[in-house]
Amino acid sequence: MNSNQPPSLNQYFNQDTAPAVSGATFFDQISSPTSGTPIDSAMMKSVRETDPAQDLFSSNVVKPTQQNPVNTVFSNASQAAATHFHEISSTGKGEPAVCRIFSEPESPPSNISSGKNFFDLISSPPLGPTPGIAIDLSLPPSSSSSLLTSPDFTSTATEDGFISTNSSVAATPTATHDILASDDSFSKSAGFRPNEADRRRDAWIPSEKTRQALIAMATSAPGSYIPDKDMLTMPGVCIQEDMTDLVTDMVQQYLGSEEASKRKVLTMQDVTQDERGLRELIQAGCFRAAVNLTGRLLTIYGQGVGRSGKPSKHTLHSIQLWFTRIALLVKLKQFSLAETEAERFWDFDRPDLYFPFYPDLYGGRMGTLIPFNFRLLLAELPSHTGKPREALNRLHSVLATVRKILKNLESGLSEDGSPAELNAADSTESKRLWSNREIRTLHSIVNCSVSCKNYSLALEVLEQVLQKSNELPPLHRRALLSALGRLHLQLGDVVGAEQYFLSAGNLHKQSTAAIDGKSALSSNTPDLREFIDRGLLAVSQNAFHEALESFQKAADMDPANIMVLNNMAVCHLYLGRLREALAIMENALTSNPTQGLHEALLLNMSTLIEFESSHCNQKKLGLLKMLARYKGDGVSVGCLKLQ
Amino acid sequence: MEARERPEHLLALKVMRLTRPTLSCPVIVTSDSKDLPGNLLNSDLKNDVTSVSGVETLTAGQFLQLPQSFGTIYLGETFSSYICVHNDSKEIAKDVTVKIDLQTNSQRIALSGHSVDPSELKPDESIDHVIHHEVKEVGTHILVCEITYTTPDQKSMSYRKFYRFQVLKPLDVKTKFYNAESDEVYLEAQVQNITVGPICLEKVALESSHLFTVSALNTSANGESVFGKVNVLQSQSSRQFLYCLAPQPSLTVDCRLLSGATNIGKLDMVWRSNLGERGRLQTSQLQRMAPDYRDIRLSVQEVPNIVILEEAFSFACKIINTCDRVLDMTLWLEDGTTSNSGLMWSGVSGRPLSRLEPGASTLLNLCLIPLAAGLQIISGVRLTDAALKRTYDFDDLAQVFVMQKS
């Protein structure tokens, strides 16, 4: 594992700082005996006091300061390299635990409706009503019974589907336009047989080579086809040691063990050793513990530490564990770790990632085991590790296949291009699903372009998205227009931004007018979105008074909105009112700590705290205490800039 | 920071450069509701304070993030800084003054008033200043802050702090001039972005001197920019701007005035970068090379762009006496002066022209027959001055495109 991203902080800054060219422009270049502040900030560091008579320009001693003396707290266990293996037998000692896990009754956390549970992927048998066929063979036998008795199974039954259709479609008219909810709408929206929903969701077009391998597999006698080893994915966990909770470490270091012992945070041991426990950890924001748990569960599949490059069998479940694991590593901004662990997967074009590879396990089922979002996640990943071009290539290859699938559907074929009789409703549903996926992919392309500052590409693609959303409700189009405006602001095109904000505002006026039945001109009361856009525009024009006014109006409408409060505070600072700025931020934080204890806000606060007083650590330790009290292990402590 | 302070001082001074904030956004990770994480990742994204409702999966943020580094500063940008003098002690400091100067290679600029109101700082109180200064020089700049105050035991204290930074050049401008036959001057300006990031060239305009009227040739017929829809210039990329300068009518009457008109004007450029950070630069007065018209000037008045093979066409030009003598001239028309010219003159060669007074001009209508297809050059006009027996050659007068009759 390379350590080119030591503290999580660096990753943070990679994202959002103005490019800091050569160090020559930094103030801390100037010789300073006590230099070595771990983090750069806009705060200027002075030259040592010099004799007034001395020529200022000749004292130009450039002493490159060591950037970021690595704070040991940041370096986490995950840096370990996969050099020596812990050989763990896949069925041996893991087995008892698994038995216990899977026989536990399912009682998912309240916010997950049981119908959305992972298990119904497995428990929806392709061959009719007998559920027993879809037994996951790689799990210990006892687990299969728990799968069958999982309460989720009933919820996917056809009758229920009809009922949920009518209610949910009527209740959530906007769901179909919401990318995040896209899958929701499709899963609820019709009483299709579950295997149709599976087919739509799992469809993918393999490369010719992979397709041939799958055909060879299907046409040869069972068990006689042995694929080449390099046709297999063979993933393995690379992080040898469990990730630890950095907040506790930090509290221990700065506030002592008494304070540290007060911290109550879920660990892998506190939850059931299954995906329910995993979800519990994610829900509690304990992403590191969740990563640890995925590692343990993958070990059961023979894909644990040191298993990279060794053949192992995939199931829907193991693939989902991988997806969850990589997704969480990305959320933790452990990008290069995620990249190393996911290296074996991309481009997801190996026969063992397709259902037909496992005829006795998923008999007759078509498509890929890979969730679409896993594909996107890995496609985007290189953009976080300084390889935006690679990410764009990957994303475009995903886009090409999605468009091929859409084309197949248009020509009356099934998703993968095989001739099939799809009924009209099924075909419409599939088109909708894949159009949503196309748009989601385009979003990723935009994000990737923004991250490498290729604004021309970002704007061009986002315009495409806007064109595609012509039939969508004004609300959604308006959000896109406003996003286009903000991208223009980011690149510095204030004039362009203003035009987009204007069209966004007009769309809002028209739609509210349509609802109120008034003419478009009479209903011109701006809403939250409009005030925020105005505020940002004013910031770009260096008009911080006006910006503050706009954000204030936005805050009047939504007083608990932390983003708005933060923006107000920033305006105060630029107007020379540090204290007000800090007071607003502190207020925002205490009124809603769970949301407010966010890296971005904490970073702003720490910057101000440092600036305000020389005795800044006291206040920062207060923030640390709050983090310890309210947050799981998934938060970044680097944003506190503790010294 | 605090360690750099001499401990005996009651007042602490801190300086922060205020570049524009950035827009923060979350790392976007989503899943389908059927996937293992269910809706947890999606709802985490929705609840993120930096995500934007409705377009959560786009990184077009709205959460203002304070600058985390000094960044770079370029000529023409405004240097803004927050200067904070804070009383860290438990005593009252009196007669506080804060003096802020900017020392460049050539001058010292006062940026802030020399006394402060109120001049007394109680414990934990602070003096807050935001200073702005448009940087007009490249190279090393030093911000000099001097604090003076009186301690409770009437001791007069003072200290200075120095903050050094480099001002870099943001744009590289190269210009080229073309003196057209029609007396117009064309200016081609190549503007290169030599900053580290992309910029938006908000304005690039030629402010002409009083001798010329300028028209910019950087939009297409329907008013769109020739540089495309998105006004962004990547680092190290260039744009080519073209301007046409027509001399004032008062100049065109007299060739000598015209050739003396070398002052073209200034190029005025405004650019913006992250969240509208603005910079402005103006070039010095641009000078063109004055055209040399010799004694006689021949200017093309009318010539077709496209002509048909073997069909005669006419070519109108104007002959102007630009010397002080009265000219009696003979017109000669020569064929084949440039290699393989596909044009033949049709008309009388060796005919005398009417006498031309100094400054006077005469119009000539000449006829040519194209004998070869393709781009052909009109050459071969010769004028001989009877008094001095001098021959003036006029070649490469214009180009026509010869096509076969369809």
Side-chain angles (χ1 to χ4, degrees), chain B residues 23-148:
Chain B
L23 296 175
S24 179
C25 53
V27 178
I28 290 161
V29 179
T30 58
S31 72
D32 283 351
S33 54
K34 291 264 176 181
D35 291 331
L36 196 156
N39 280 332
L40 292 175
L41 296 177
N42 295 356
S43 52
D44 190 61
L45 187 58
K46 278 197 178 209
N47 291 330
D48 193 301
V49 292
T50 55
S51 74
V52 184
S53 154
V55 283
E56 289 89 351
T57 48
L58 281 174
T59 53
Q62 57 184 1
F63 188 99
L64 292 176
Q65 188 86 69
L66 294 171
Q68 294 299 317
S69 71
F70 179 81
T72 37
I73 182 157
Y74 296 100
L75 187 67
E77 286 187 339
T78 299
F79 173 73
S80 302
S81 266
Y82 196 125
I83 289 158
C84 178
V85 178
H86 184 256
N87 189 346
D88 277 349
S89 73
K90 297 191 166 51
E91 292 166 86
I92 298 172
K94 285 190 174 144
D95 310 321
V96 181
T97 65
V98 183
K99 192 174 152 214
I100 300 154
D101 290 323
L102 189 63
Q103 173 76 53
T104 73
N105 284 314
S106 65
Q107 56 177 328
R108 193 179 179 109
I109 306 147
L111 294 183
S112 163
H114 291 192
S115 65
V116 180
D117 189 44
S119 67
E120 189 183 276
L121 262 192
K122 294 199 179 81
D124 210 32
E125 280 186 345
S126 63
I127 297 165
D128 299 83
H129 271 301
V130 177
I131 53 142
H132 303 280
H133 171 70
E134 191 186 325
V135 287
K136 297 196 168 89
E137 268 180 67
V138 289
T140 309
H141 284 58
I142 295 174
L143 190 70
V144 184
C145 302
E146 184 172 359
I147 314 284
T148 59

Side-chain angles (χ1 to χ4, degrees), chain A residues 27 44 47 574 579 595 614, chain B residues 15 19 47 88 124 162 164:
Chain A
F27 281 127
M44 296 162 73
V47 193
Y574 280 72
R579 300 232 160 168
Q595 259 207 320
S614 306
Chain B
V15 178
T19 50
N47 291 330
D88 277 349
D124 210 32
F162 305 92
R164 191 199 315 266

